[in-house]
Amino acid sequence: MTEPLDVFLSSYSSPDPLTLVLLLGCTVALLLALVSLRRYRAANQALHKVQAQQRVIMDTLSEGLVTLDSQRSIKHSNRALQTMFGHRADELVGMHIQDLLPANASGFANTLSAPPSSMLSPSQQPVLKALAMHKDGHLFPVHLSFRRIDVQGERHHVGVITDESQMAAVHESAQEARSELDSFVAALDKHSIFSATDAKGKLIYGNAEFFDICGHEPQELLGQSHSLLSSGMHDEAFWLNIWNTLRSGVAWRGEICNRRKNGTLYWVNSLTAAVRDASGQITRIVSIQVDITAQKQAEQIQAHTQHLLELSNEAAQIGTWEYDFRLKHTRMSAVAMRKIGR
């Protein structure tokens, strides 16, 4: 029985001059795609560098820093917390927070169940007392300050734990814990595109990275509607979905295309959250963003190159096929299907 591949190969003929021209064009397009891919990799390397810097910042904090998942199990910890409890980083991952705090502080459970906290006012977070357990079994007094953050419907907590036995006074340890949180937020502000608007969408704050990428001076945007950066790429339903998500108490994450002052477009991956007052009313909307323009450009060039290749193959009547070993699936182009009579 004749195999489909034999039929396909037997039907192949030498390309004519037009086909050679088309193939040459595709080759040039592929080379351009490779150049864009290198730029995308460079952008990824820059992002990894920022993440590494943030890890270094966490490890330079003098207080213990811990993040919990929705089950209150430990996801990350800094060096100070590992030293404080005598555990290695890999031992802490997956451990329930109650394993470290067996003598629960009054109100600790209620703190973890509280609504999401302000990202801009860490100094207002309540500080609780508890007894913590070291790896060797001895108990020691600590101060706790936890903040809940909801990301894409999942509840997370970020906490600072201070060893009270190492401090000269209770009020001094609490003040230093709050100061460390302020420093951590300030560090994120330096290495991210950060902005804040009031409840009506008027810009009230933007860091240096924000104004650098959009090309505007602060005095041109502060007090103005954030919609001045709109690229027109997103319809009204897109923005309505963001607003409804924020109103529901959930942070929104997604990709947004904005327009610079000079008219060029740029893309960001944005994490946006609403800040509420004591009555539950939205007072501010904050966004932390990462520039993904290079990635989007590479995707566009790749899609365009694939389209050109398909057009040239169709014109030259060159069939192509590929086999996915992981999925055990064969994909054939329309030309290849016709050549084997399918």
Side-chain angles (χ1 to χ4, degrees), residues 29 299-309:
E299 291 174 355
Q300 291 170 359
I301 292 176
Q302 182 181 8
H304 182 64
T305 301
Q306 180 64 30
H307 179 63
L308 290 178
L309 181 61

Side-chain angles (χ1 to χ4, degrees), residues 63 143 162-164 167 169-178:
E63 312 301 329
H143 280 176
T162 305
D163 185 352
E164 187 181 351
M167 313 301 292
V170 172
H171 74 275
E172 182 180 351
S173 64
Q175 180 60 38
E176 290 192 8
R178 292 193 293 264

Side-chain angles (χ1 to χ4, degrees), residues 214-228:
C214 73
H216 287 274
E217 296 297 327
Q219 60 269 22
E220 295 175 326
L221 288 183
L222 291 176
Q224 303 296 319
S225 173
H226 199 282
S227 62
L228 288 176

Side-chain angles (χ1 to χ4, degrees), residues 156-191:
H156 299 269
H157 290 87
V158 178
V160 170
I161 301 180
T162 305
D163 185 352
E164 187 181 351
S165 64
Q166 301 294 321
M167 313 301 292
V170 172
H171 74 275
E172 182 180 351
S173 64
Q175 180 60 38
E176 290 192 8
R178 292 193 293 264
S179 177
E180 295 289 358
L181 271 177
D182 288 333
S183 298
F184 182 67
V185 171
L188 286 177
D189 183 56
K190 271 189 177 180
H191 298 288

Side-chain angles (χ1 to χ4, degrees), residues 16 40 48 56 77 106 109-110 121 127 183 205-206 236 241-242 259 261 263 274-275 291-292:
D16 56 27
Y40 169 56
H48 291 322
V56 170
S77 62
S106 176
N110 292 334
S121 303
V127 178
S183 298
Y205 176 78
E236 183 178 350
N241 174 60
I242 294 178
R259 188 178 301 276
K261 182 178 180 180
V275 179
D291 182 8
I292 58 169

Side-chain angles (χ1 to χ4, degrees), residues 115-176:
S117 303
S118 166
M119 294 178 63
L120 299 181
S121 303
S123 61
Q124 298 178 0
Q125 302 307 312
V127 178
L128 305 174
K129 296 181 181 180
L131 282 178
M133 179 177 288
H134 192 272
K135 184 179 181 179
D136 63 14
H138 82 269
L139 299 177
F140 59 98
V142 294
H143 280 176
L144 311 171
S145 179
F146 277 86
R147 297 161 55 204
R148 170 182 158 188
I149 300 175
D150 289 349
V151 180
Q152 294 183 328
E154 292 188 8
R155 181 180 301 179
H156 299 269
H157 290 87
V158 178
V160 170
I161 301 180
T162 305
D163 185 352
E164 187 181 351
S165 64
Q166 301 294 321
M167 313 301 292
V170 172
H171 74 275
E172 182 180 351
S173 64
Q175 180 60 38
E176 290 192 8

Side-chain angles (χ1 to χ4, degrees), residues 235-303:
D235 58 19
E236 183 178 350
F238 175 84
W239 300 110
L240 185 60
N241 174 60
I242 294 178
W243 178 244
N244 288 337
T245 301
L246 298 178
R247 288 180 61 186
S248 70
V250 178
W252 180 88
R253 183 164 190 169
E255 298 177 354
I256 298 177
C257 180
N258 288 328
R259 188 178 301 276
R260 295 186 179 91
K261 182 178 180 180
N262 63 9
T264 58
L265 303 180
Y266 66 95
W267 285 85
V268 292
N269 191 318
S270 178
L271 175 62
T272 304
V275 179
R276 301 174 185 270
D277 60 18
S279 65
Q281 297 298 313
I282 295 178
T283 59
R284 294 188 299 276
I285 298 173
V286 297
S287 294
I288 301 175
Q289 301 174 332
V290 177
D291 182 8
I292 58 169
T293 306
Q295 173 186 341
K296 299 298 289 188
Q297 290 174 342
E299 291 174 355
Q300 291 170 359
I301 292 176
Q302 182 181 8

